[in-house]
């Protein structure tokens, strides 16, 4: 492809998106650039503080538990008080709790504050996704979600490399730097992002207000909860890249550096290929994309059973990473399609919950299966789960309408107004 063609492709990828989206994108990138603590937390607890690996695992679990609890709560807040206030609360709380964690010494205090950090840092996700759905046109949402996902991975790739150097100087500096950069995100939201929550929603005929959406409404939405269930299955599979793969490679005699080399392919491919992949999938059938991504995920990990060298492990990472690049923006777009406007926060919160629970279940499942039956069984199970998810998506999306629920916004969203609407 010529340089001119590359420039044209890049221009088409980023064109047509509103200014508010780019401020939200910038906030996401800055947040991930400062994500140092999650990278070196286990090393900090075991090497710097001298705690056991078991205690480090407990802290990681409590961090994940905080995310499970906040997923639903932040979704409710997103709908009730608005996207912008929820983001400000989440990011300010994250900055304060991360800074506090750097000064904790008592093991009980460290565990408790880690749980708070997990809750605060995950609370922004439903608000970000709901705001993005509010301010981006339906035909551009897959592209917008993909660009946001690219920013997350670009930021994480850079922060992961920087975390090692920062840890060599001072672990506390890492905590304070992350707190500072998260505070910068809150400032960006405060100064540049107006509230985007639709002020009034009516039924499709415009004659009466749309029915309010509660958590019970979400739970009774059979199609959506099926999507949440399938999302959980796919998430458990993808989690094996960080929980099952390093354990299996270690038991097979590979070094941590070997694992680092193999898993680095994941971040590299996402940074390099996410935008081109998005151009290929942007206007394609979501059903086929989710079926294909589930199969790529399942069988990408399934092929790991036959890996005997770092190169082959890296090739399997390529397969499931392609599935990840297809799945992330497509599934997030599907959630928006299935969500009524006045309930986007709660729906996004429930979707976020599926990934948070998977982050808790996957380590337990992979450890049990590897210890009891061997790594080959784990990779075989991944193939089975991926196939099951593909079949589920194929059946679930049969007859899905081209647009979301029959709810329209009766008034202009606040994001299109010059002033911030009241929460």
């Amino acid at each position: 492809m010529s340089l001119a063609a590359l420039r044209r492709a890049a221009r088409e990828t980023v064109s047509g998106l509103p200014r508010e989206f780019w401020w939200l994108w910038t906030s996401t990138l800055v947040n991930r650039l400062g994500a140092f603590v999650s990278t070196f937390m286990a090393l900090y607890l075991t090497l710097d503080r001298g705690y056991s690996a078991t205690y480090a695992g407990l802290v990681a679990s409590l961090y994940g538990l905080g995310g499970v609890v906040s997923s639903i709560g932040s979704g409710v807040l997103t709908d009730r008080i608005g996207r912008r206030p929820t983001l400000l609360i989440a990011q300010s709380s994250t900055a304060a709790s991360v800074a506090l964690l750097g000064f904790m010494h008592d093991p009980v205090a460290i565990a408790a504050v880690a749980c708070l950090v997990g809750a605060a840092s995950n609370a922004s996700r439903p608000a970000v996704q709901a705001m993005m759905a509010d301010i981006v046109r339906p035909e551009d949402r897959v592209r917008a979600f993909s660009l946001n996902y690219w920013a997350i991975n670009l930021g994480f790739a850079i922060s992961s490399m920087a975390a090692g150097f920062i840890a060599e100087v001072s672990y506390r500096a890492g905590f304070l730097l992350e707190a500072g950069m998260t505070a910068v995100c809150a400032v960006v939201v405060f100064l540049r992002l107006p509230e985007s929550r639709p002020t009034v929603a009516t039924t499709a005929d415009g004659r009466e207000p749309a029915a309010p959406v509660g958590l019970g409404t979400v739970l009774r939405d059979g199609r959506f909860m099926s999507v949440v269930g399938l999302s959980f299955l796919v998430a458990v599979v993808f989690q094996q890249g960080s929980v099952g793969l390093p354990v299996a490679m270690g038991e097979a005699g590979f070094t941590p550096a070997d694992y680092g080399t193999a898993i680095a392919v994941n971040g590299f491919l996402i940074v390099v290929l996410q935008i081109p992949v998005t151009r290929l999938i942007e206007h394609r059938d979501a059903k086929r994309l989710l079926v294909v991504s589930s199969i790529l995920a399942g069988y990408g990990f399934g092929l790991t059973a036959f890996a005997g060298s770092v190169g082959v492990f890296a090739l399997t990472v390529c397969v499931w990473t392609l599935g990840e690049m297809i799945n992330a923006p497509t599934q997030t777009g599907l959630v928006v399609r299935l969500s009524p406007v006045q309930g986007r926060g709660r729906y996004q919160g429930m979707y976020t919950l599926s990934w948070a629970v998977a982050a808790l279940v996957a380590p337990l499942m992979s450890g049990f299966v590897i210890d009891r039956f061997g790594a080959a069984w784990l990779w075989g199970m991944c193939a089975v789960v991926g196939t099951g998810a593909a079949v589920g998506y194929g059946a679930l999306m049969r007859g899905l309408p081209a647009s979301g629920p029959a709810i329209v916004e009766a008034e202009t969203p606040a994001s299109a107004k010059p002033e911030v609407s009241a929460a």
Side-chain angles (χ1 to χ4, degrees):
M1 181 181 290
S2 66
L3 182 59
L6 287 173
R7 288 177 177 174
R8 184 172 61 255
R11 186 167 54 250
E12 291 174 354
T13 298
V14 301
S15 64
L17 296 171
R19 181 179 57 187
E20 293 87 353
F21 165 79
W22 289 112
W23 282 116
L24 190 59
W25 183 90
T26 300
S27 175
T28 297
L29 179 61
V30 172
N31 181 270
R32 298 314 298 170
L33 285 171
F36 307 120
V37 173
S38 61
T39 303
F40 62 60
M41 189 63 182
L43 294 175
Y44 167 71
L45 293 175
T46 55
L47 298 182
D48 189 68
R49 292 297 182 189
Y51 294 116
S52 66
T54 300
Y55 175 76
L58 172 64
V59 171
S61 296
L62 289 173
Y63 179 94
L65 180 62
V68 170
V69 173
S70 70
S71 297
I72 299 299
S74 63
V76 174
L77 285 177
T78 296
D79 285 335
R80 284 191 176 179
I81 69 173
R83 285 65 158 139
R84 183 174 181 268
T86 303
L87 272 175
L88 289 172
I89 292 171
Q91 293 174 342
S92 300
S93 300
T94 301
S97 57
V98 167
L100 180 63
L101 185 59
F103 291 91
M104 292 295 101
H105 297 280
D106 182 76
V108 175
I110 290 175
V113 177
C115 186
L116 291 177
V117 172
S121 61
N122 280 277
S124 62
R125 294 181 181 179
V128 168
Q129 292 166 344
M131 179 176 278
M132 207 168 291
D134 295 338
I135 63 181
V136 176
R137 297 178 302 177
E139 61 269 26
D140 293 330
R141 282 175 184 158
V142 169
R143 180 159 55 101
F145 286 129
S146 182
L147 286 168
N148 192 65
Y149 186 67
W150 180 78
I152 290 172
N153 282 276
L154 175 62
F156 184 74
I158 296 174
S159 67
S160 296
M161 291 185 290
F165 296 102
I166 293 171
E168 289 183 0
V169 177
S170 169
Y171 283 104
R172 181 170 293 173
F175 286 100
L176 295 178
L177 278 171
E178 177 164 344
M181 295 188 76
T182 305
V184 170
C185 295
V187 172
V188 170
V189 171
F190 181 77
L191 294 178
R192 295 297 182 180
L193 283 174
E195 177 56 57
S196 68
R197 182 181 54 164
T199 53
V200 177
T202 65
T203 52
D205 57 13
R207 295 180 180 176
E208 60 184 30
V213 174
L215 287 177
T217 308
V218 182
L219 294 172
R220 290 191 297 270
D221 189 336
R223 190 196 291 268
F224 176 77
M225 290 306 298
S226 297
V227 169
V228 171
L230 293 172
S231 170
F232 168 76
L233 293 179
V234 173
V236 168
V237 174
F238 281 128
Q239 287 288 332
Q240 300 311 318
S242 59
V243 295
L245 185 60
V247 174
M249 290 184 69
E251 289 197 347
F254 293 93
T255 67
D258 293 331
Y259 166 72
T261 300
I263 200 63
V265 174
N266 172 258
F268 175 78
L269 287 179
I270 290 175
V271 170
V272 173
L273 296 180
Q274 183 67 63
I275 293 178
V277 167
T278 300
R279 287 178 57 81
L280 291 175
I281 69 173
E282 187 175 1
H283 300 296
R284 297 185 184 273
D285 180 39
K287 171 183 173 180
R288 293 182 180 178
L289 292 175
L290 289 171
V291 168
V292 169
S293 67
S294 299
I295 291 175
L296 288 172
Y299 285 90
F301 280 102
L303 290 171
T304 310
F306 304 99
S309 66
V310 176
V312 178
F313 276 113
L315 287 175
T316 66
V317 171
C318 291
V319 176
W320 59 259
T321 296
L322 180 58
E324 184 181 358
M325 288 189 287
I326 296 172
N327 177 273
T330 306
Q331 187 156 251
T332 308
L334 174 62
V335 171
V336 174
R337 287 174 61 188
L338 295 176
S339 306
V341 170
Q342 73 277 25
R344 278 178 181 157
R346 289 175 173 84
Y347 274 71
Q348 291 289 353
M350 189 63 69
Y351 169 63
T352 301
L353 180 65
S354 67
W355 284 84
V357 174
L360 283 179
V361 171
L364 300 175
M365 183 196 79
S366 60
F368 175 80
V369 173
I370 291 175
D371 288 342
R372 184 65 63 90
F373 304 105
W377 278 85
L378 176 65
W379 308 132
M381 288 176 61
C382 287
V384 172
V385 171
T387 302
V391 172
Y393 279 121
L396 180 67
M397 297 186 66
R398 188 177 297 129
L400 182 70
S403 59
I407 303 293
V408 298
E409 298 168 22
E411 296 185 8
T412 304
S415 62
K417 300 177 182 178
E419 297 179 356
V420 177
S421 66

